[in-house]
Every structure is written in structure tokens, then in C-alpha cells.
Amino acid sequence: MRFLHLLMLASLLWLTGCATTGTPSETTTPTEPAAHTPLYPSGPLSPIATGAAGSMAVAGIDAPSDLWDRIRRGFAMPDLLGEQVADREQWYASRPDYMQRMTERSRKYLFHIVEELERRGMPTELALLPYIESAFNPQAVSSAKAAGMWQFMPATGTYFDLKQNAFRDDRRDVLASTRAALDYLQKLYGMFGDWHLALAAYNWGEGSVARAIAKNEKQGLGTTYPELNMPAETRMYVPKLQAVKNIVANPERFGADLPLIENHPYFQSVEITRDIDVSLVASLAGIREEDFRALNPSLHRPVILAAGMPQILLPWDNAQVFRRNLQAHSEGQYASWTVWSVPTNMSVSTAAQRAGMSEADLRQINGIPPRMMIKAGSALMVPRAATTRQDVSSHLADNGQIAFTPEVVTRRTTVRAGKRGETVASIAKRYKVSAADVADWNDVKTSSRFKAGEAVVMYLPVRLASTSLARTSSKQPAAKAGSRKAAKGGAAVRTATAAPRAAGKTRVRSR
């Protein structure tokens, strides 16, 4: 029986061999020809040299282990060599504490920048540029008033649609400033066709680089980055970036300890549909307010105006917590602050009284400096009434500004009515004050008339009071006492710094 089974198995194998080795005419005809004929080497194979293997561009299929690995894989700019690069490598390598603080700070923002660079097909070295610009500090402000981690000047920020108003400065905004910086770098690369020159223009200005190139061309000189004549700061700009790139590429060589930054988003964007306090957002998200501001550094004030800032950034794991808690929030009012457009020039004390808050609090929350009045049209952050349901308009949220005018200190001044006498109105007109004030200062009616030579009390700006004094003194004979002080005492205009007689009177006016 066993022999019979073996014989049947052998027969089946023989029939199978016939089916697979026959010609096409003996089997089903193919419906389409083969795609190609494979080629095989005719001679013996030679081993691949190490150099040849290293030059092959083989795409890895494994995901980057961390964000540093991902950045290294995207390096695409030509390396800059030279003593300046070595000098900057030594500078960074000898400051491990500084490098640690700087790279730790970048943890919140680096993933988003790398994502944007890859989406645009730009070299990932550019993700390291904020290390050079601001040490990845979004609150950094230079002596030239450049702000944010990408260090935009006010005019350049405006050109790239970065709003700068009383409530926020988008030069510090993570998403907006990164978008603007990469837009600018792409524009510069399009102008110069070279990343090193584009970076020089980012630091020095495109016009300056263009003029330097034109000057070298006129003199028959080279026009690459190392060959141009430029300021010392720009000369060291690309070497700094190259040094950081080299440290990131090979941290062991420089003894650097880069913190682990996972290849995962640090934050999520969350939509905001109503004005809401910063403190409430932090509370609903379960984070500290300073951590919220680190991700939303453009905010100036304690409230988020939805019309101007319709989205905020929250840590990845806290975004859903915020959404859930916001939905469950039962209070009808999300914002305890609103914006008041000041109707006329007024003192800080008057504005504070109208807003129902202390002068110190009004100054602090709106950044009002001392000895300044608030100009008409200024957008002040003030407490929001519990019954108010209307949020700040988009126009005010995007364009609100605060403007000031110096306070004019007034001084108690005594003037004399003319030889024929004067009315309250005529004296008020002469000194550009209101007739009601003149009447109040002298306890008379606005329709009253002063006798010739009668003393009239006035509160005039110091500058105007001094001018009146000089004009009156020039008409008087020399002082009999032979002293300037005596001349002042006998003049028709007497000044003093005594407080106004009527309590509560404001003696500060705008120019």
C-alpha cells in the first residue's frame, strides 16, 4: 500500500512539471506581453567600495527616532568652512549650560517649524535659525526693536501681515511669525538663488546684499557670501548657524548633550469663538498661565479677543481637556475685560474713574507711562460689566492702539487786567482757557468784568506762564532793588506752585 502511495505522488509531480515547462502554445496564451526582459550581469560581480556605497542616495524607510534625527535628514544647504565656523563651534561647545537652556526652550516650537519647512521643501537647517536670532525666546527684543524668536523689525513685520497693536504683537506669535519668516526666506532665496546670501539678506537687508553684490561685480570680484564686504554681525551670521548645525549633526564630537525632543507635535491649535480671559483658558486647560503664555507669547493683555485671535495654542494633551471643560463651563461670561475707545483726550485719573478702576491698575494693565495723558481714540483695556454680552469688534481687535500726549503741568499765576478793564471771557480767550475756569479760579461769574489793573488768578501751563512773565517784565522799568527776584515780585504776572484753591480740580492739560 505504501508503495502505491509513493507511485501516485511521483505521477502527480511529473504532470506538474509538464504544465510549467511547456511552451506558450501548450498552455493558455497570455493576454498581454511581459513588461520587460530582465538583464543579468554577464561577468563576475565586483565588490562595492565604501566610498561608492556612501554616495548612494538610498531613502530610509524607518521613521526618525527623534526630532533631531529628522532635522539631520533634511540638511540640504552647502556647508560653510573656515576659521569663523570653528570659532563659533568652540564658543557654543564651551557653554553647555547656555546650549541646554536654548535647546530646552526650543522644545515647544521646533516640531512645528520642521513641519513647515518640509511642507515647503526648504532645508531643515533653517529650523535652527531662531537659535541664532533669539536663542528661541519669543519675548526677545533687540536694541533695534526687532521682536520675537524670528526677530522681525516693526516695518518688516507689517509688510508680512504681522499685526502689532495694543492687544497683541504677531511678531511673537509662534504660527504667524514662523509663516512670515519662511515666506521672507523663500523670497530672499528667489532673489539671490543662494541660501547663504538669503540668510545674509535676512540679517542685513536685501538692499544691502544686492548693493554689495553689484559693487563686487563692478570690480570683477566674486559674489559669494565669503567674498562680499559686509558688517561684522552679518559676516558671523552664517558661521553661527553652521556651527549650531555641526553640533546638531554630531553632538558627541563637541561633547554636547541635546535634550530629547520627540518627533511629535508639542501643541494643538484650538478655535476661540468668544472673548475669554487668559486665566480662564489656563484654568480650563489645566495648565499654568505662564505655560499658556509661552505658547501664545503675542498676547499683551489678560484677555483674548476672539475677533483678532480666533485660535490659541495649547499643549497637545491639554487641548482636549480645554475643549471638554469649555463646553461644560456654565457661566455666561467668559471675559472679564473689554476695550473702551477713549472719546477725548483725558488724564489717567479721569479715565480710571470712568472705567471704575484704580489709576494704578489702569496704568499697569495698559502700560501707561507716568506724566502722560491718554489721547482720544485710544483703545483701553477696562473691566467688562457683568451685563455686557457683546465681544470686541474685529476692527478694534485688529487695529486698536494706545496713544499718549505729555501732561502739561500748570502753575498758579497772577495776571493783571488791562488799563480799560477786561471781562472774564476776554482774559480766557487771551490765555486759551475756558471762561468757566477763569470764573471758578476767581470766584466770579462768567459774565463778570475785572477793573483796570485788577489781579486775576490763572492756572497756566508752565511754558505759557513763563512766556507771559517774560513779556510783562520786558515792559517794566529796571527793578529798584537791583535784583531779579525783586523784579519778579513787582511784575504784573506773579507765579507760584501753590496747589489750586478748589479741591479736586485737575491742573493737567494736554498740549
Side-chain angles (χ1 to χ4, degrees), residues 187-232:
K187 176 189 177 211
L188 295 172
Y189 181 72
M191 291 177 63
F192 300 107
D194 179 279
W195 280 115
H196 292 164
L197 294 178
L199 288 166
Y202 189 90
N203 175 260
W204 191 22
E206 55 204 70
S208 299
V209 172
R211 287 189 290 271
I213 290 174
K215 182 178 179 180
N216 274 25
E217 287 177 339
K218 186 176 181 180
Q219 296 176 352
L221 302 175
T223 58
T224 64
Y225 177 85
E227 295 172 302
L228 295 183
N229 184 22
M230 57 184 66

Side-chain angles (χ1 to χ4, degrees), residues 340-401:
W340 172 43
S341 186
V342 179
T344 184
N345 287 12
M346 64 176 62
S347 66
V348 179
S349 59
T350 302
Q353 186 177 10
R354 291 199 187 183
M357 59 192 303
S358 71
E359 182 177 335
D361 288 343
L362 185 69
R363 286 185 181 277
Q364 189 274 329
I365 199 169
N366 290 283
I368 303 174
R371 295 180 296 280
M372 286 290 174
M373 293 187 69
I374 306 163
K375 293 188 74 172
S378 291
L380 289 184
M381 188 70 65
V382 297
R384 178 170 171 167
T387 56
T388 301
R389 291 290 179 266
Q390 185 176 358
D391 289 335
V392 177
S393 69
S394 59
H395 175 77
L396 200 53
D398 274 341
N399 301 289
Q401 300 285 357

Side-chain angles (χ1 to χ4, degrees), residues 36 38 49 77 85 94 109 140 185 216 263 319 340 347 350 380 393 405 421 498:
H36 68 280
M77 288 169 51
V85 174
S94 62
Y109 320 112
L185 287 166
N216 274 25
N263 187 25
W340 172 43
S347 66
T350 302
L380 289 184
S393 69
T405 185

Side-chain angles (χ1 to χ4, degrees), residues 294-313:
L295 285 178
N296 301 271
S298 65
L299 291 170
H300 285 333
R301 304 292 181 242
V303 66
I304 303 161
L305 305 181
M309 193 173 178
Q311 61 180 9
I312 58 172
L313 303 183

Side-chain angles (χ1 to χ4, degrees), residues 5 7 50 74 77 96 117 140 162 176 200 203 217 225 262 287 300 327 348 407 440 443 468 470 474 476 491:
H5 287 167
L7 182 61
T50 304
M77 288 169 51
L117 287 169
L162 297 178
N203 175 260
E217 287 177 339
Y225 177 85
E262 295 181 354
I287 60 175
H300 285 333
Q327 188 175 8
V348 179
E407 289 179 346
D440 184 31
D443 284 338
S468 300
S474 65
Q476 303 296 322

Side-chain angles (χ1 to χ4, degrees), residues 72 74-82 85 89 123 125 128 194-196 199 224-226 238-239 241-247 249-250 253:
R72 295 181 195 111
F75 285 166
M77 288 169 51
D79 286 334
L80 186 70
L81 304 175
V85 174
E89 288 174 344
E125 290 98 323
L128 309 176
D194 179 279
W195 280 115
H196 292 164
L199 288 166
T224 64
Y225 177 85
V238 176
L241 181 63
Q242 182 68 53
V244 173
K245 172 185 175 180
N246 293 345
I247 293 173
N250 191 354
R253 175 188 166 198

